[in-house]
Amino acid sequence: MSIYSIHIVIKEQISVSLMREGGVKSMEVKGDMNLQVTNAAYTHIKLALPVLITDFGSDLQFKQHPNLLKFVPSQDRMVALKDPSRAFPIGQALAVLKWRYAGHDESLVPLSSKLSNRIFSFPRSFTNQVNCWPSPSNDGTCEVNIEYELENESVTLHDVVISIPLP
């Protein structure tokens, strides 16, 4: 099997609003998976999705393409066509799965402050996820130092944006 016969693209966006005193005001994760088959020999593929290592409870919602099998609770999640006589299109990317999580669970935020977890060993639930240190100057401007750390080393973050609201 050629490694180029099946292409899977997964995109995920995380949006988190943190409170000044610590804690999560809101968090939303949106993701999608696209599948593209480029070899006719693999148009009837079935993809077994990995078991979730984090329990999101009922707050994590999945939507499958209408032509795919629906996930069955308490069973392995499988991306496969409902009708086995049909095939995935060749050379055309198909959005096969979307997911969304909305919640306030601080332990699911992928960033944490460097100091609180490494030096003081506070329990995770009492740490700030991002530390901001504002330093006002005499000319009316303000310099802000931000400390954060990627908690889960198996995750790669791209295009991280930290917004600081101005009064």
Side-chain angles (χ1 to χ4, degrees):
M1 177 171 118
S2 168
I3 61 172
Y4 300 107
S5 298
I6 301 166
H7 303 270
I8 300 170
V9 177
I10 297 173
K11 293 182 182 175
E12 193 169 63
Q13 180 180 0
I14 302 171
S15 179
V16 181
S17 179
L18 302 172
M19 293 182 280
R20 181 179 182 159
E21 300 79 25
V24 175
K25 184 175 181 181
S26 65
M27 179 168 61
E28 181 179 53
V29 178
K30 290 182 181 180
D32 60 66
M33 175 191 285
N34 291 326
L35 171 69
Q36 182 176 1
V37 178
T38 57
N39 185 328
Y42 302 106
T43 57
H44 294 278
I45 188 170
K46 293 180 181 182
L47 297 173
L49 299 179
V51 175
L52 296 175
I53 56 172
T54 302
D55 181 18
F56 292 90
S58 61
D59 295 330
L60 179 62
Q61 301 167 349
F62 291 97
K63 287 186 182 180
Q64 292 102 320
H65 187 281
N67 292 338
L68 296 181
L69 289 172
K70 299 297 179 206
F71 294 156
V72 178
S74 304
Q75 291 186 7
D76 293 339
R77 290 185 174 98
M78 187 76 62
V79 174
L81 291 166
K82 280 184 199 176
D83 182 354
S85 67
R86 295 188 68 181
F88 283 105
I90 298 172
Q92 177 184 345
L94 181 66
V96 293
L97 180 63
K98 293 182 180 192
W99 58 92
R100 181 180 182 272
Y101 167 81
H104 301 88
D105 188 344
E106 191 170 334
S107 69
L108 299 175
V109 177
L111 299 175
S112 73
S113 65
K114 289 181 182 178
L115 297 177
S116 30
N117 286 339
R118 294 241 173 120
I119 296 174
F120 300 112
S121 299
F122 288 140
R124 183 160 170 76
S125 59
F126 295 109
T127 63
N128 290 323
Q129 299 300 318
V130 177
N131 279 333
C132 296
W133 301 98
S135 299
S137 64
N138 293 332
D139 64 0
T141 62
C142 185
E143 181 179 311
V144 179
N145 288 310
I146 299 175
E147 297 175 343
Y148 65 91
E149 179 180 355
L150 182 60
E151 271 289 299
N152 185 343
E153 294 181 8
S154 67
V155 173
T156 302
L157 300 178
H158 299 279
D159 303 323
V160 174
V161 176
I162 297 177
S163 301
I164 302 170
L166 298 175

